[in-house]
Amino acid sequence: MRSKGRIAAYLVACCPFYLEAAEEAPSITEAQPVEVQASDETDEAPWWFSSHETVSRTIGNWSTNIDSFLSGEQSQQYNDSYVEIRFGSVLEKDESSGFFDFSAKLRLPNTQDRLRLVVESESDSLAPESLRGESSQQDSVVNSALKTTISAAVRYIKEDIGLDVDAGVKVDFPLDPFLRFRLKQGEVIGSFEWWQKQEAFAYYSKGVGARYGIGVGYATSPTLNFGMDFGTTWLDKEGLFYVRENFSIQHRVNDKNRLGYQLSFLQSGEHSIEPDSYLYNVQYERLLYKDWLIGQIKPQMTHEAEDDYDGVLSLTLSLAILLGPEYLH
């Protein structure tokens, strides 16, 4: 398994603990590449494989050319820029909906080793603690993609103190500039790790807010990890606090299969915090092809306070595609 990859990258909608690895390319596994078998030397690769190779090379060329243009020097360093696309369907009772998310990280090592260009889809909510499902959920995948709000930002990273700063704009009408400060501390001690994160943000249209999170994790073995975290967000325009507690287990079955288990409690309020809901889910993730095509299945039970905690079952089916020089074979 890649040290920077993990199934939790795709549980982000339900667990803010996993947001911490956003700067790393979300590789899922380090399984040995599956070679494309051809019946003879004249056989061509499938169109979807060729398309992935072409787009991955293009991402690398864009990143290298932008870096060379801004710095005035030819880039000689390894290019770890990437794009992640994730889409799928959510089935609930007699209804179905779809979602589409993507993010891109372009590293510019010659311009400044701490600098990134970040392009990603934006959730309608500034409080991840309030999310029960997918952040971009619409009645179909196509509508989700059409209604996706994109943000583009320059991210400055100061790793020695755990600081990163985003200055950018949400590509919407009218344009919505924003500024975000994030500071993270943490430590790994043997099989035990802890982290805490402070964040402040300001959007032209959505106002200002602040977020705090703290979490711990324990690895009983290289394939089994336990974690729990607490997060809270305050939004000035809404005048509300959102609070969430998550308990999770991650199990790496083998190089191609992973399981995640999660229990979450959600609360909110203006002056006093009241229970909103609780949910629990199981996510199965399988590497379908090489190290860049991942299938995910997640059944979830959600119990809302406004419905007297009657359970609602949903099933999320999704695909994740990773593109970039790292995924060329």
Side-chain angles (χ1 to χ4, degrees), residues 24-44:
E24 300 294 336
S27 305
I28 300 302
T29 182
E30 202 172 38
Q32 293 298 322
V34 179
E35 298 297 334
V36 177
Q37 300 295 329
S39 57
D40 55 63
E41 293 182 357
T42 62
D43 285 350
E44 295 183 356

Side-chain angles (χ1 to χ4, degrees), residues 47-73:
W47 68 267
W48 48 270
F49 177 79
S50 300
S51 298
H52 179 273
E53 296 280 296
T54 301
V55 175
S56 294
R57 288 192 181 94
T58 301
I59 292 169
N61 291 336
W62 282 355
S63 178
T64 300
N65 292 337
I66 292 173
D67 187 29
S68 298
F69 175 77
L70 294 178
S71 66
E73 301 178 12

Side-chain angles (χ1 to χ4, degrees), residues 6-15 18 28 84 86 89-90 99 132-134 248-253 256-263 279-286 294-301 314-320:
R6 54 191 201 293
I7 188 174
Y10 304 105
L11 292 173
V12 64
C14 299
C15 184
Y18 300 118
I28 300 302
E84 174 192 346
R86 181 172 174 260
S89 297
V90 180
F99 63 91
R132 276 77 162 171
E134 301 296 332
S248 62
I249 302 174
Q250 299 175 63
H251 180 206
R252 188 187 70 188
V253 180
K256 288 193 174 183
N257 299 278
R258 282 195 172 191
L259 284 169
Y261 312 88
Q262 183 174 292
L263 170 65
L279 60 88
Y280 43 92
N281 60 54
V282 178
Q283 177 159 305
Y284 169 66
E285 182 173 288
R286 179 174 175 80
I294 304 101
Q296 301 158 346
I297 302 174
K298 184 176 72 174
Q300 176 174 299
M301 287 293 293
S314 63
L315 177 65
T316 302
L317 307 173
S318 61
L319 282 175

Side-chain angles (χ1 to χ4, degrees), residues 256-275:
K256 288 193 174 183
N257 299 278
R258 282 195 172 191
L259 284 169
Y261 312 88
Q262 183 174 292
L263 170 65
S264 299
F265 299 91
L266 291 71
Q267 307 90 40
S268 67
E270 184 175 1
H271 302 293
S272 61
I273 304 301
E274 301 293 338

Side-chain angles (χ1 to χ4, degrees), residues 35-277:
E35 298 297 334
V36 177
Q37 300 295 329
S39 57
D40 55 63
E41 293 182 357
T42 62
D43 285 350
E44 295 183 356
W47 68 267
W48 48 270
F49 177 79
S50 300
S51 298
H52 179 273
E53 296 280 296
T54 301
V55 175
S56 294
R57 288 192 181 94
T58 301
I59 292 169
N61 291 336
W62 282 355
S63 178
T64 300
N65 292 337
I66 292 173
D67 187 29
S68 298
F69 175 77
L70 294 178
S71 66
E73 301 178 12
Q74 187 64 36
S75 179
Q76 302 294 330
Q77 299 189 38
Y78 173 74
N79 193 315
D80 60 357
S81 301
Y82 74 92
V83 172
E84 174 192 346
I85 300 172
R86 181 172 174 260
F87 59 92
S89 297
V90 180
L91 309 177
E92 184 177 328
K93 292 184 179 179
D94 298 327
E95 300 178 351
S96 65
S97 57
F99 63 91
F100 178 89
D101 296 309
F102 85 95
S103 64
K105 303 289 190 299
L106 302 181
R107 186 184 179 192
L108 310 175
N110 282 346
T111 304
Q112 185 171 357
D113 192 47
R114 302 189 183 97
L115 197 63
R116 302 287 191 277
L117 291 181
V118 182
V119 180
E120 56 194 353
S121 55
E122 285 272 338
S123 170
D124 289 336
S125 173
L126 293 177
E129 292 82 5
S130 66
L131 296 177
R132 276 77 162 171
E134 301 296 332
S135 61
S136 61
Q137 202 166 319
Q138 298 289 337
D139 57 355
S140 70
V141 175
V142 174
N143 284 338
S144 176
L146 292 175
K147 294 181 179 180
T148 297
T149 301
I150 307 302
S151 70
V154 176
R155 177 170 296 168
Y156 176 79
I157 303 169
K158 185 72 172 175
E159 293 184 354
D160 54 346
I161 61 174
L163 173 69
D164 65 74
V165 181
D166 288 357
V169 62
K170 292 180 65 176
V171 185
D172 204 349
F173 296 99
L175 295 178
D176 191 359
F178 64 84
L179 187 63
R180 293 188 294 234
F181 295 86
R182 286 176 286 205
L183 188 63
K184 178 185 174 183
Q185 305 86 36
E187 189 174 1
V188 178
I189 307 172
S191 299
F192 176 82
E193 66 172 333
W194 70 271
W195 62 265
Q196 67 173 352
K197 180 178 178 180
Q198 306 86 37
E199 179 177 349
F201 50 86
Y203 286 78
Y204 178 78
S205 65
K206 294 188 174 182
V208 302
R211 180 177 297 120
Y212 175 79
I214 187 169
V216 296
Y218 181 75
T220 59
S221 71
T223 61
L224 187 63
N225 297 270
F226 296 85
M228 61 181 180
D229 67 274
F230 165 87
T232 181
T233 296
W234 172 74
L235 300 179
D236 174 52
K237 274 202 169 183
E238 297 181 14
L240 293 176
F241 286 90
Y242 294 92
V243 179
R244 185 178 187 130
E245 301 86 31
N246 301 292
F247 303 87
S248 62
I249 302 174
Q250 299 175 63
H251 180 206
R252 188 187 70 188
V253 180
N254 52 44
D255 285 345
K256 288 193 174 183
N257 299 278
R258 282 195 172 191
L259 284 169
Y261 312 88
Q262 183 174 292
L263 170 65
S264 299
F265 299 91
L266 291 71
Q267 307 90 40
S268 67
E270 184 175 1
H271 302 293
S272 61
I273 304 301
E274 301 293 338
D276 287 336
S277 62

